[in-house]
Amino acid sequence: MDNGCHCSANSDRLLNPILYNILSQMDNSKLSQNSFSYNSVPHRCNCELRRTVCLHRPSEICKEASSVLVKTVHFMKNLPAFNQMPPSDQFSLLKNCWAPLFILGLAQEHVDFEVTDTPADSMLKKILLNRQQSPEMKREQPTMAGVSKLKSCLKKFWSLDLSPKEYAYLKGTTIFNPDVPDLKAALFVEGLQQEAQHALSEVVQLLHPGDHERFARILLTASMLQSITPSLISELFFRPVIGQADLLELLVDMLFYR
């Protein structure tokens, strides 16, 4: 039995059956003259990357993720420079940096996880929830492509084996991002980021005096953080816990009102 992906082949066959038959005959004649086949080239099917996934052990991993998120908020709360900023700037920085900071927390705490295919809803549930108007349909569901990008980022950080001080200063460079739009204290934020980068450079030289490329590797790896969407983090790690609540609103409550 052939378990390979036939998504593109099936779509071609449905769109133009006559053309499909002609091309199939041409391919068969070529195969008889040449043993090389495209099917022999390793490739990853887009179907696999697009499929939606969920955590394999949600109760355990969601608990660990919640702990990391609480530590992330406390880290921001305990920064005097952050508390000196206008409330609007604090909110903008929180909105921009909570997901990258959380990923750094996952890396620092060595939170590893596996995913599995999202179970299909029963027909009765689809009817009762009226899936066309369900909020779940409007949200970006976690895909294998997104999870693969996240796990690749974590593995790169684990390979660097950062010290607690390196993580702390790297978090500082992540929080104080002067490129966030509409900051009232953009110059102040830029100065804080430069200070954090300088401190990170100094601690890298102190801990790894012979590794002159380590600082650049750390910044290069950190650049991957912005490619991972906050919605992936929210849906994968926190949707099973918070239900229909908005995670950003919960973070604002934790940061400013508790």
Side-chain angles (χ1 to χ4, degrees):
M1 180 178 179
D2 184 6
N3 292 323
C5 174
H6 302 284
C7 56
S8 56
N10 288 336
S11 61
D12 291 341
R13 187 185 306 182
L14 291 173
L15 290 173
N16 197 330
I18 299 177
L19 178 61
Y20 175 83
N21 291 331
I22 295 174
L23 292 177
S24 297
Q25 293 174 3
M26 292 175 62
D27 288 340
N28 290 335
S29 64
K30 289 181 180 179
L31 282 175
S32 63
Q33 300 172 5
N34 193 337
S35 60
F36 176 81
S37 170
Y38 172 76
N39 291 330
S40 65
V41 180
H43 65 285
R44 194 165 189 181
C45 174
N46 288 332
C47 296
E48 178 185 357
L49 296 177
R50 288 197 304 263
R51 79 176 197 264
T52 59
V53 294
C54 59
L55 292 173
H56 179 57
R57 294 174 292 135
S59 58
E60 177 181 340
I61 301 301
C62 287
K63 183 177 180 180
E64 294 184 45
S66 298
S67 176
V68 170
L69 189 64
V70 170
K71 291 179 182 179
T72 298
V73 174
H74 285 173
F75 180 84
M76 298 182 68
K77 264 187 169 183
N78 293 330
L79 292 175
F82 182 82
N83 294 317
Q84 294 171 10
M85 294 180 185
S88 60
D89 283 6
Q90 293 183 28
F91 173 77
S92 296
L93 292 177
L94 171 66
K95 183 179 179 180
N96 176 79
C97 76
W98 77 262
L101 281 181
F102 173 79
I103 298 170
L104 287 175
L106 290 181
Q108 187 173 9
E109 299 291 332
H110 283 267
V111 178
D112 199 3
F113 63 94
E114 299 297 332
V115 295
T116 186
D117 289 341
T118 304
D121 290 341
S122 66
M123 184 59 67
L124 177 60
K125 183 177 180 180
K126 291 179 181 179
I127 295 173
L128 294 176
L129 293 181
N130 190 4
R131 295 286 290 177
Q132 292 184 348
Q133 298 179 2
S134 172
E136 296 180 16
M137 295 298 292
K138 300 177 182 179
R139 294 195 298 262
E140 176 187 343
Q141 298 301 310
T143 63
M144 180 56 70
V147 170
S148 297
K149 188 182 297 183
L150 172 58
K151 290 176 77 69
S152 175
C153 181
L154 290 174
K155 288 178 181 178
K156 287 184 181 295
F157 276 113
W158 291 334
S159 68
L160 288 170
D161 194 22
L162 301 181
S163 68
K165 284 189 175 181
E166 287 174 315
Y167 269 116
Y169 291 130
L170 183 57
K171 289 176 182 178
T173 68
T174 304
I175 293 173
F176 301 119
N177 182 2
D179 295 328
V180 173
D182 302 323
L183 289 177
K184 295 180 179 179
L187 291 178
F188 180 52
V189 172
E190 184 177 8
L192 291 171
Q193 187 183 63
Q194 291 175 353
E195 289 181 16
Q197 289 178 342
H198 181 68
L200 175 60
S201 176
E202 286 189 335
V203 75
V204 167
Q205 293 176 20
L206 179 64
L207 297 177
H208 306 273
D211 191 347
H212 303 294
E213 298 179 354
R214 181 174 177 82
F215 179 67
R217 289 201 307 273
I218 292 174
L219 294 184
L220 182 62
T221 303
S223 68
M224 299 175 61
L225 295 171
Q226 294 295 337
S227 68
I228 301 168
T229 63
S231 59
L232 171 70
I233 303 298
S234 299
E235 298 301 318
L236 186 64
F237 294 104
F238 300 107
R239 189 59 57 197
V241 177
I242 66 175
Q244 302 299 327
D246 184 89
L247 182 58
L248 182 59
E249 292 181 1
L250 297 178
L251 290 173
V252 169
D253 182 61
M254 293 169 61
L255 186 61
F256 297 112
Y257 303 113
R258 293 187 183 180

